[in-house]
Amino acid sequence: MQDPHYSLSYYQAYTCPVCRHGKISALPLMEAFACSFCRHIFTANLEKQAITMADGQLPLTWYWTGRNWQGMTDQNRFGLGYGLGAIAFVLLPTAIVGLGAYLFPPLPGSRLSWFPLFWTGLTLLAHLACLLWLILEYYQFPLYLYLQALRQRNNS
Ligand SMILES: [Zn+2]
């Protein structure tokens, strides 16, 4: 049986911190790891027990705790501001459109009385889709591969 705590080394495979689906293992003759699923490349710092994404838009770093990956605190704080911005980006336009529909209600019984509600919902969905796309782009998440793997798992 394997000890659940083990250190970061080039002789082990670890769950990928990006897709959390594939395994990252050392590339032969290189001080780098590659994911078997999303194909991201990570450079490793064994002294600090850390890996850094080498092919991403941002040099994201994770620390190996012996059991799982932990992102840097700076990254998390950075993410909180983005999170709040993202919530505002989705909710504010929806609230404005919804408020408009509430303040200026359509004539009852008119043919387009469903429209303000529909438009409010559409605003929400459009901004949500925009946000999702940005997140996927930012992490370069392999959405297509992921869906394909899910489908294969369901079939078998
Ligand atoms: Zn991966």
Side-chain angles (χ1 to χ4, degrees):
M1 222 177 88
Q2 197 181 32
D3 185 353
H5 277 271
Y6 48 94
S7 57
L8 185 63
S9 76
Y10 293 120
Y11 309 106
Q12 294 265 12
Y14 306 86
T15 307
C16 174
V18 176
C19 61
R20 296 182 185 275
H21 189 85
K23 292 268 175 209
I24 60 168
S25 48
L27 292 167
L29 306 177
M30 281 176 79
E31 299 191 333
F33 286 89
C35 176
S36 61
F37 185 69
C38 66
R39 306 276 165 205
H40 273 304
I41 307 270
F42 306 89
T43 55
N45 185 332
L46 294 190
E47 264 169 54
K48 289 183 179 168
Q49 293 282 293
I51 57 166
T52 301
M53 198 202 282
D55 56 353
Q57 286 169 359
L58 284 171
L60 295 169
T61 299
W62 291 269
Y63 288 101
W64 179 249
T65 63
R67 216 179 264 249
N68 48 34
W69 296 107
Q70 199 157 46
M72 279 199 311
T73 13
D74 280 3
Q75 268 168 214
N76 294 343
R77 216 177 297 143
F78 187 66
L80 184 67
Y82 268 105
L84 289 178
I87 291 169
F89 175 74
V90 172
L91 288 188
L92 266 183
T94 311
I96 290 167
V97 172
L99 194 69
Y102 177 76
L103 289 179
F104 306 102
L107 294 172
S110 68
R111 270 203 313 146
L112 287 177
S113 60
W114 52 270
F115 189 75
L117 197 65
F118 167 76
W119 192 247
T120 309
L122 196 67
T123 308
L124 179 70
L125 280 182
H127 282 83
L128 213 58
C130 218
L131 184 69
L132 257 174
W133 180 78
L134 273 177
I135 291 171
L136 293 177
E137 272 293 294
Y138 177 75
Y139 285 109
Q140 304 190 345
F141 188 81
L143 182 67
Y144 180 71
L145 281 174
Y146 194 74
L147 290 177
Q148 214 171 28
L150 278 183
R151 203 180 312 143
Q152 273 167 12
R153 195 189 292 169
N154 288 343
N155 284 348
S156 58

